[in-house]
Amino acid sequence: MQWGVLGAGRIARSFIAGLRAVEDAELAAVGSRSAATARAFADEFAIPRAHGGYRELAEDPDVDVVYVATPHPFHHAATLLCLEAGKHVLCEKPLAINAAETAEMIAAARRCDRFLMEAMWTRFSPAMREVARVVADGEIGEVRMLTADFGGYRAFDPADRAYAPELGGGALLDLGIYPLALASQFLGPITAITAQATLAPTGVDARAGLVVTGAGGGIGSLACALDAEQATRAVVSGTKGRVEIEHFYNADAFTLHLTGRETREFTFPRQVNGYEYEAAEVTRLVREDERESSLMPLDETLSIARLLDEARRQVGVRYPGEDRPAAVGTHRGDASGRP
């Protein structure tokens, strides 16, 4: 399977390290807005072809799958370009900055009959697959509660992508998507969300807290922050026990506590850095002529995008070009975005 990488930043570098461990996957090309940047990146990683433009990469006849590694606001246009050129796409999370763009990308994938997946690498690690099995098999009973947080201290800088509204900055889209996707996975479809946040001087959320309710009545308490060191830990609690996961976004271990039984620890050493598992899954699915992943289905990606829209609406975060009015304060809303 011939892969192309669209974007030549930090995340592209990490993904390439994982991709190279995937059997029968080859890195064939890189595309960047600058020919010089593409050439330097290709030389550094011994990539056969360098394209000084995203369209050139999308139209490369020898590329089967494109990994979109640009900042959030550019995911939409880059993904549409690749899909319409006949390429399968793995796009970094969030798939887009809002649900409207996400829905358009999903519709394009289905219209073009191409594979598309949001790169929620968390779901593909051996550790998290085993957690999913433990929960699905009922070992911890009925899931009633979930807690998860993700954050680290990053000094405020208006030029930093994380704090820049024009680049889709804020804790929710960068970090909050991880605990929200975890809640979606283990609580079932989210039926209600309440959000609170403290905004940075640039107007994006510096830190945020979410309370969500799943279709089965389970409750999730979630947090994310750009300016606070957090444990980045998750706990899934049921009627018979709980699972505790350190660094759940890229876990290699978890602890299982079952009522009346000895605590058990499970370890799953990474092959490389964690990116290899999602790359292997996409390679397999494309080879098998599938159009989406059952582990990260497109309808769930869209549902999570709507939840992020609603959370931003409640706390008053709005990105340039979005045509809806910003709301001030917090209140309860359902997953559809209705007040």
Side-chain angles (χ1 to χ4, degrees), residues 6-317:
L6 192 152
R10 177 188 57 81
I11 194 114
R13 294 169 179 271
S14 298
F15 180 79
I16 287 170
L19 179 66
R20 286 192 159 150
V22 178
E23 186 178 357
D24 296 331
E26 293 184 358
L27 182 55
V30 61
S32 176
R33 289 176 295 178
S34 160
T37 300
R39 183 70 266 162
F41 195 85
D43 290 344
E44 179 180 353
F45 291 98
I47 303 170
R49 295 184 301 285
H51 297 292
Y54 297 157
R55 181 171 296 279
E56 287 79 359
L57 175 66
E59 294 177 350
D60 185 328
D62 295 323
V63 169
D64 302 307
V65 190
V66 173
Y67 170 63
V68 174
T70 62
H72 314 333
F74 309 112
H75 289 177
H76 174 255
T79 296
L80 292 181
L81 183 68
C82 292
L83 291 171
E84 289 164 3
K87 300 298 186 281
H88 304 286
V89 177
L90 171 65
C91 180
E92 254 314 316
K93 74 200 82 59
L95 197 66
I97 63 167
N98 57 41
E101 289 190 355
T102 300
E104 187 176 354
M105 294 158 73
I106 292 171
R110 290 170 175 165
R111 183 181 70 252
C112 297
D113 193 29
R114 297 292 88 184
F115 179 92
L116 174 65
M117 191 183 84
E118 182 178 39
M120 183 58 66
W121 64 329
T122 301
R123 297 210 175 170
F124 301 93
S125 72
M128 291 306 295
R129 286 195 183 203
E130 182 63 11
V131 170
R133 185 204 62 76
V134 165
V135 174
D137 286 354
E139 291 190 36
I140 65 169
E142 183 181 343
V143 175
R144 296 288 175 82
M145 295 289 296
L146 182 147
T147 61
D149 62 64
F150 192 3
Y153 179 74
R154 192 167 183 150
F156 175 72
D157 179 355
D160 186 335
R161 179 196 62 78
Y163 287 105
E166 67 275 13
L167 294 177
L172 279 167
L173 262 60
D174 245 0
L175 306 173
I177 189 171
Y178 285 98
L180 190 55
L182 196 76
S184 175
Q185 181 178 11
F186 292 115
L187 299 180
I190 303 301
T191 58
I193 182 168
T194 301
Q196 293 187 353
T198 299
L199 305 188
T202 50
V204 303
D205 51 299
R207 67 202 80 103
L210 305 173
V211 175
V212 300
T213 304
I219 294 175
S221 177
L222 319 174
C224 56
L226 295 174
D227 61 354
E229 291 293 342
Q230 294 186 276
T232 309
R233 182 172 184 267
V235 181
V236 185
S237 302
T239 53
K240 297 179 181 178
R242 69 185 186 276
V243 179
E244 298 181 355
I245 317 155
E246 303 294 335
H247 305 294
F248 70 93
Y249 70 99
N250 186 21
D252 61 0
F254 67 89
T255 304
L256 179 62
H257 301 266
L258 298 179
T259 305
R261 296 172 61 179
E262 186 176 347
T263 295
R264 289 184 287 165
E265 295 185 359
F266 299 81
T267 303
F268 301 82
R270 300 183 195 95
Q271 187 178 0
V272 184
N273 60 4
Y275 287 92
E276 61 270 26
Y277 304 117
E278 68 175 1
E281 182 73 352
V282 174
T283 298
R284 181 185 69 82
L285 290 169
V286 170
R287 182 176 291 114
E288 294 176 359
D289 206 31
E290 298 291 339
R291 293 298 178 256
E292 62 182 286
S293 167
S294 61
L295 295 181
M296 192 66 238
L298 294 173
D299 286 347
E300 187 179 3
T301 287
L302 180 56
S303 174
I304 292 168
R306 287 172 174 156
L307 290 167
L308 288 167
D309 276 5
E310 172 61 14
R312 288 196 298 115
R313 189 189 70 80
Q314 289 184 27
V315 303
V317 173

